[in-house]
Amino acid sequence: MASDQEEDEFLGFSDDEGDGTNSDSDYDDDEATQNAESEVNAHQIGDFEQNQQLPDLNEVGQEYAQECEVGPQHTSGISDNHSVPFLFDLNMPTQQEFPPSPIHQTETEQNHHKPRTPRINNELRLEILLFLLLRKEKHSDELIHGTNRQAVIKFGYTRKTIRLIWQRALAHKAAMDSYFYDSKYHNCGRKRIQVTYEFIASIAMGDRTTIIDLARMLNLSPTTVWRMVKRKQIKPHSSPLNSGISEECKMARMKWVLGLLMDYSIPNDPTYYSMYDFIQIDEKWFYLTQKSQRVYLANNEPFPHRKGKSRTKIPKFMFMAAVARPRWGQDGQCEWDGKLGIFPFTDAVAAKRTSKNRVKGTIETKPIKSVNQIATRAMLINYLIPAIKEKWPPHEGKRVIYIIQDNAKAHILQNDQE
């Protein structure tokens, strides 16, 4: 019963029900318990005081209350004859949940986000000097009282910086020299590592394919080499693998180029043939669509939805393009742009069976799966030659027109009868 009473008093309750009243049995038990405890405590304290003097608990409690800032509302549930060093309430948060006091914050934490004063440049240094010269006393090198403070407020720099600028100007004046306001900022800090051209060129190509390999060969860090690349001291290069040309092929190309020289212009004024009757043709694959395509939409415009049977098997078509040299008039206007057309390698095939997309017998356009000499011959006869007859400038009259092809195996020969 005594332990229950102590817990009730400590937690701020006077009885079990918490209604503020005490029953008769509580009074009887409390008086008997207090008498028994007072006799035991008096006996124990008397024995303890003979060996050691106890401190005043009331004073200790007041000191702890002052340190921990315990108010009177925290001690309302405890009687006057019980004094403890530190009082707490279960309904109150612990001490760690309170925000820390600004007294315990270090100076580093307070100044952690303080903006740093920017480095003073040469133009601002000259402006500060002119500001000080306008506030100089007559017939003296002393400044008017309060000038340094005004400069500090206006420019945002310390008194030491303002005073050094003024002392530097006085030193130049005493030496009969003009004021040199440039700083020595470019001479401070670590010096850049210099790597010569011969040192880099002496390293084998296979040992400098990456920045890490080059840094290892130069005995530098990869970050240093990366900075040298940004400063364009080292330039990256992707070396393509070119096809080798034999000597016979080189001689054949030279003969063809020299054959375009007109005979009457040699040797005084070599002039190449105009090549107005030459047509260049070439083939190119084009995919029907792309996996991902960027478009620019208006505000609140719905996103386009594209569909296909497969993203990995997009249909592709081969086209043949034919161009010639454009024709220009005397006034500089283009008479003919030289474009003959671009023609697809496709076939018109009738559908073999009915499906949800079309009825049997519907003509469909299908790409030619194999572009061989037969397909190339049909392209020249059915599309290219009619386009030449239609679009070729009529005022040039009849002449031989040459069609230049590349070295593809599917191209037809010059002596093809058809």
Side-chain angles (χ1 to χ4, degrees):
M1 190 63 185
S3 60
D4 297 338
Q5 182 66 21
E6 289 178 358
E7 291 181 0
D8 294 340
E9 292 180 357
F10 186 78
L11 298 178
F13 303 113
S14 56
D15 57 350
D16 296 337
E17 291 79 4
D19 54 357
T21 59
N22 294 330
S23 59
D24 297 338
S25 59
D26 293 337
Y27 279 113
D28 297 338
D29 294 338
D30 291 342
E31 291 178 359
T33 304
Q34 291 178 3
N35 294 332
E37 289 180 355
S38 61
E39 292 178 0
V40 175
N41 293 334
H43 178 70
Q44 293 179 354
I45 293 173
D47 296 338
F48 188 80
E49 287 179 350
Q50 295 178 1
N51 300 326
Q52 184 178 1
Q53 184 177 359
L54 288 173
D56 191 2
L57 294 179
N58 293 328
E59 297 178 359
V60 175
Q62 294 177 1
E63 293 177 359
Y64 272 81
Q66 293 177 1
E67 292 180 0
C68 302
E69 299 180 359
V70 179
Q73 65 275 11
H74 296 160
T75 61
S76 59
I78 303 175
S79 59
D80 297 337
N81 55 356
H82 291 278
S83 298
V84 293
F86 181 75
L87 306 179
F88 65 92
D89 189 356
L90 294 178
N91 297 324
M92 295 296 293
T94 59
Q95 189 176 3
Q96 287 78 5
E97 297 179 2
F98 288 101
S101 176
I103 302 175
H104 300 286
Q105 294 180 355
T106 60
E107 185 178 357
T108 306
E109 295 177 353
Q110 293 179 357
N111 300 333
H112 182 71
H113 298 287
K114 181 179 179 182
R116 186 177 180 181
T117 304
R119 185 181 297 276
I120 185 171
N121 53 24
N122 299 331
E123 291 76 9
L124 184 57
R125 189 179 291 105
L126 181 61
E127 183 179 354
I128 294 174
L129 178 60
L130 296 176
F131 179 82
L132 299 177
L133 289 174
L134 295 176
R135 288 160 178 80
K136 185 177 72 69
E137 296 181 357
K138 295 182 179 180
H139 309 291
S140 176
D141 293 337
E142 298 294 333
L143 297 174
I144 301 175
H145 180 71
T147 302
N148 288 338
R149 179 177 178 83
Q150 296 177 4
V152 168
I153 296 174
K154 181 177 180 180
F155 298 101
Y157 290 90
T158 60
R159 288 177 176 267
K160 182 179 180 181
T161 303
I162 305 299
R163 185 169 60 254
L164 288 177
I165 294 175
W166 180 248
Q167 291 177 357
R168 185 178 182 183
L170 295 180
H172 288 176
K173 179 181 179 182
M176 303 297 292
D177 194 5
S178 59
Y179 180 68
F180 182 73
Y181 57 88
D182 193 8
S183 64
K184 299 180 180 179
Y185 169 67
H186 57 278
N187 293 329
C188 64
R190 295 189 301 172
K191 303 303 181 288
R192 291 180 177 176
I193 299 175
Q194 301 295 333
V195 181
T196 60
Y197 167 80
E198 292 77 9
F199 190 24
I200 299 177
S202 61
I203 303 174
M205 290 291 181
D207 295 336
R208 41 181 166 142
T209 55
T210 61
I211 291 180
I212 296 178
D213 294 342
L214 181 59
R216 189 181 297 110
M217 299 302 297
L218 297 177
N219 197 16
L220 300 174
S221 65
T223 307
T224 303
V225 177
W226 179 79
R227 292 195 184 100
M228 296 173 68
V229 173
K230 290 299 181 181
R231 293 196 298 265
K232 300 186 182 303
Q233 295 180 357
I234 299 175
K235 58 180 181 180
H237 173 68
S238 298
S239 178
L241 184 62
N242 301 316
S243 59
I245 303 176
S246 62
E247 297 296 332
E248 293 79 7
C249 185
K250 292 181 181 179
M251 292 298 297
R253 292 185 179 187
M254 288 299 300
K255 289 181 180 180
W256 187 83
V257 172
L258 294 176
L260 295 177
L261 291 172
M262 291 183 290
D263 297 337
Y264 65 87
S265 63
I266 298 174
N268 297 327
D269 187 15
T271 305
Y272 281 99
Y273 187 65
S274 61
M275 300 182 68
Y276 279 110
D277 52 358
F278 280 57
I279 296 175
Q280 305 284 345
I281 65 172
D282 197 8
E283 296 82 16
K284 177 66 177 178
W285 285 105
F286 288 95
Y287 285 90
L288 185 62
T289 184
Q290 298 178 358
K291 291 183 180 180
S292 179
Q293 185 174 4
R294 177 184 291 271
V295 293
Y296 296 91
L297 306 176
N299 190 16
N300 298 329
E301 183 179 358
F303 298 135
H305 182 69
R306 301 186 302 133
K307 295 185 296 183
K309 291 184 178 180
S310 176
R311 296 184 59 187
T312 58
K313 297 180 181 180
I314 300 176
K316 62 179 181 179
F317 300 82
M318 178 175 282
F319 287 79
M320 174 183 285
V323 294
R325 288 194 63 181
R327 307 299 195 268
W328 301 88
Q330 297 295 335
D331 54 354
Q333 298 293 331
C334 181
E335 298 179 353
W336 182 53
D337 55 4
K339 298 178 182 179
L340 294 173
I342 179 170
F343 315 103
F345 285 90
T346 57
D347 285 337
V349 181
K352 296 181 179 181
R353 59 184 61 88
T354 303
S355 67
K356 63 179 182 180
N357 297 324
R358 73 281 183 279
V359 185
K360 180 181 178 180
T362 304
I363 303 299
E364 294 181 331
T365 302
K366 298 289 185 179
I368 297 178
K369 296 182 179 180
S370 178
V371 180
N372 48 22
Q373 288 186 353
I374 299 175
T376 303
R377 184 186 297 110
M379 176 63 66
L380 294 178
I381 295 174
N382 299 328
Y383 292 96
L384 182 58
I385 293 178
I388 294 173
K389 294 180 179 180
E390 178 184 357
K391 298 182 180 180
W392 199 265
H395 63 274
E396 294 186 2
K398 296 182 178 180
R399 61 171 57 188
V400 179
I401 298 176
Y402 300 91
I403 300 175
I404 300 179
Q405 308 174 114
D406 53 10
N407 294 327
K409 295 182 180 181
H411 290 160
I412 63 176
L413 302 178
Q414 297 180 3
N415 56 1
D416 188 86
Q417 296 181 1
E418 294 185 20

